[in-house]
Amino acid sequence: MLNEEQFEKARIYGIDKTNLKIAKEFYSMTLTSIILYKRWISVAWEKSEGIAEIFNISPKQEILISCTFMTFVTLFNFVTNMPFSIYGTFVLEQKHGFNKQTVGFFIKDQLKSLVLSLVITLPVVSMAIYIIMLGGKMFVVWLWLFTTVTTLLLLMLYPSVIAPLFDKFVPLSDGSLRTAIENLASKLKFPLTQIYIVEGSKRSAHSNAYFSGLFGAKRIVLFDTLLEKVDEDKKVTTGCTESEILGVLAHELGHWSCSHIYKSIALTEVNLLLLFTAFGALFRYSMLYMALGFPQGQEPIIIGLIVVLQLILAPYNSLLSFFATALSRKFEFEADNFAVSLNYSKELRSALIKLGKDNLDFPIYDKLYSAWYHSHPTLLHRIENIQNLIKEQKKES
């Protein structure tokens, strides 16, 4: 599968990514501790009131002050996370040959993300606060319904509105690959409307494929890095053959066939209802706000949301993250099984090996570590699963 040189490259890349992740988590924990100890949350709220006063906005207009506060928070997170983004892109990814971004492209990408975050966050936060203010004893239900509708709307808008803001999508030209994909979709009665190639090579050398579209018509998206690349000597260097791409897509369509997206959405909505219920029971405790430096009687709703959902419920969120990871791994195996059932076992196995090499995915991890941190099973586990399924098919035949 991997020769000694490729294995060593994947090992070093995995270590570098892990070290960056450890540093980022340690930095985040330290920064959070400083923010709580110095009571910077109440300071930021006070500054937000000061800015609002400049525009003759009364302190009683909590929604507008909350928007100012959230702008502060978003900008603060943007600035404090920027060193890690820069290092990850221009040092780590560059070192291992994956980064394809220019400085200008990176800056434009980051600014787009910042503006989009504010455009989405501020109206959602405003509406959530308004619902909590006026929802009475039933505000948890109304807040949950609002977030459900908002989530579904964003999922529907993402493929056609949000994603094109960052990447260029070009329809796959007519040819044998397009015909084969259309035949596969037709065979499975997958409601395919278009097949796109996304120019992911402008950002990274990593490759991927996915389908999008929440209800009804759907589109298949292939990263241009997934397609075979040849060097000057006409030797294939990276990417997959057409049959291997079909194996990858058989896996992706397995997610559709097994309704993994809808199951994930359903579980997310159950989790949101539990979170909002906990918030409704806890956010009126005055000590929460006084501990952060707020004067007695001042209890901004947005502060309650942040404290309860992110700090008080942190142990629950960690446990939930583990179960979400376990569920994701289960879904990946089910999608692989689906591809094998369509007789794409050899193509999928070959594609996984090639993509593992191209993306420098280290194939060996401790099982407990992988179960906690990896949303996808390791390459060896997936190949082992495919081989076991092939053996079962041979026994049955």
Side-chain angles (χ1 to χ4, degrees):
M1 288 170 51
L2 296 176
N3 59 38
E4 185 175 348
E5 181 184 0
Q6 292 167 334
F7 183 88
E8 184 64 14
K9 285 183 178 180
R11 186 184 71 84
I12 295 174
Y13 181 51
I15 290 174
D16 286 348
K17 287 196 299 181
T18 300
N19 287 338
L20 178 61
K21 184 176 181 179
I22 291 172
K24 188 173 182 179
E25 288 184 355
F26 178 78
Y27 173 81
S28 178
M29 290 173 60
T30 303
L31 185 59
T32 300
S33 300
I34 293 173
I35 290 172
L36 294 176
Y37 179 75
K38 295 288 187 179
R39 297 182 173 182
W40 283 353
I41 293 179
S42 60
V43 173
W45 183 264
E46 186 178 343
K47 295 293 184 183
S48 300
E49 289 182 324
I51 292 176
E53 188 177 354
I54 295 175
F55 296 95
N56 296 319
I57 297 174
S58 169
K60 294 182 179 180
Q61 293 181 279
E62 185 175 333
I63 292 178
L64 293 178
I65 296 175
S66 296
C67 287
T68 306
F69 174 81
M70 284 306 300
T71 302
F72 264 133
V73 171
T74 303
L75 292 174
F76 180 80
N77 289 334
F78 179 78
V79 172
T80 55
N81 287 324
M82 185 55 65
F84 292 97
S85 297
I86 294 173
Y87 181 88
T89 300
F90 293 104
V91 178
L92 193 154
E93 294 291 300
Q94 187 81 31
K95 171 185 174 182
H96 295 281
F98 290 118
N99 177 48
K100 302 299 179 183
Q101 296 186 65
T102 63
V103 173
F105 185 91
F106 176 82
I107 293 173
K108 186 168 66 173
D109 226 24
Q110 294 297 317
L111 291 177
K112 282 182 182 180
S113 297
L114 175 63
V115 172
L116 184 63
S117 176
L118 290 172
V119 168
I120 293 175
T121 300
L122 297 185
V124 171
V125 165
S126 299
M127 192 64 190
I129 294 172
Y130 182 75
I131 290 171
I132 294 170
M133 284 177 162
L134 300 182
K137 294 181 179 179
M138 292 291 292
F139 85 84
V140 168
V141 176
W142 298 119
L143 182 61
W144 176 69
L145 290 174
F146 165 69
T147 54
T148 299
V149 172
T150 302
T151 300
L152 295 177
L153 181 62
L154 288 174
L155 287 173
M156 292 170 61
L157 291 176
Y158 177 81
S160 57
V161 178
I162 298 176
L165 295 175
F166 297 90
D167 294 299
K168 184 178 180 180
F169 291 78
V170 179
L172 177 64
S173 57
D174 292 335
S176 57
L177 177 59
R178 184 182 184 90
T179 301
I181 294 174
E182 290 175 340
N183 289 339
L184 176 61
S186 177
K187 175 183 175 182
L188 299 176
K189 297 182 180 179
F190 178 75
L192 177 65
T193 56
Q194 186 55 275
I195 307 168
Y196 288 101
I197 297 291
V198 59
E199 295 182 354
S201 57
K202 289 186 176 181
R203 179 176 285 105
S204 170
H206 291 295
S207 51
N208 199 4
Y210 64 91
F211 74 88
S212 61
L214 191 58
F215 302 110
K218 303 183 188 299
R219 57 179 65 182
I220 286 176
V221 178
L222 307 175
F223 280 55
D224 57 354
T225 49
L226 184 65
L227 307 179
E228 277 192 335
K229 301 292 185 299
V230 296
D231 58 18
E232 295 178 353
D233 298 326
K234 296 184 178 181
K235 293 182 179 180
V236 176
T237 55
T238 60
C240 297
T241 65
E242 291 189 1
S243 61
E244 289 166 345
I245 291 174
L246 289 176
V248 172
L249 290 179
H251 166 92
E252 294 301 323
L253 295 181
H255 288 303
W256 165 77
S257 179
C258 297
S259 301
H260 289 161
I261 291 180
Y262 298 117
K263 290 176 182 177
S264 297
I265 291 174
L267 290 173
T268 298
E269 295 308 318
V270 171
N271 176 55
L272 279 175
L273 185 58
L274 291 175
L275 289 174
F276 291 152
T277 300
F279 167 75
L282 298 172
F283 86 110
R284 289 301 184 189
Y285 284 96
S286 299
M287 288 299 296
L288 293 178
Y289 304 90
M290 294 175 65
L292 295 173
F294 287 90
Q296 189 171 6
Q298 188 177 35
E299 302 175 0
I301 291 173
I302 187 63
I303 303 301
L305 277 166
I306 293 173
V307 171
V308 173
L309 299 186
Q310 294 188 10
L311 299 179
I312 294 179
L313 295 179
Y316 166 79
N317 291 333
S318 296
L319 187 63
L320 179 70
S321 176
F322 169 73
F323 284 111
T325 299
L327 184 65
S328 174
R329 293 166 65 87
K330 179 177 181 295
F331 285 171
E332 291 302 315
F333 279 128
E334 289 179 353
D336 282 350
N337 296 349
F338 181 81
V340 172
S341 71
L342 296 177
N343 295 319
Y344 282 102
S345 54
K346 292 182 180 179
E347 292 83 357
L348 177 59
R349 181 181 181 278
S350 177
L352 289 175
I353 293 173
K354 284 188 177 181
L355 293 176
K357 291 178 181 178
D358 293 348
N359 294 320
L360 291 182
D361 290 333
F362 191 62
I364 303 173
Y365 281 94
D366 177 79
K367 287 187 176 182
L368 289 178
Y369 178 91
S370 183
W372 184 268
Y373 287 105
H374 296 160
S375 61
H376 286 54
T378 63
L379 175 61
L380 288 182
H381 289 155
R382 293 181 70 177
I383 291 176
E384 181 183 6
N385 174 63
I386 292 172
Q387 290 175 332
N388 289 335
L389 289 172
I390 293 174
K391 290 179 182 178
E392 291 178 8
Q393 287 180 339
K394 288 182 178 179
K395 286 181 181 179
E396 292 176 357
S397 61

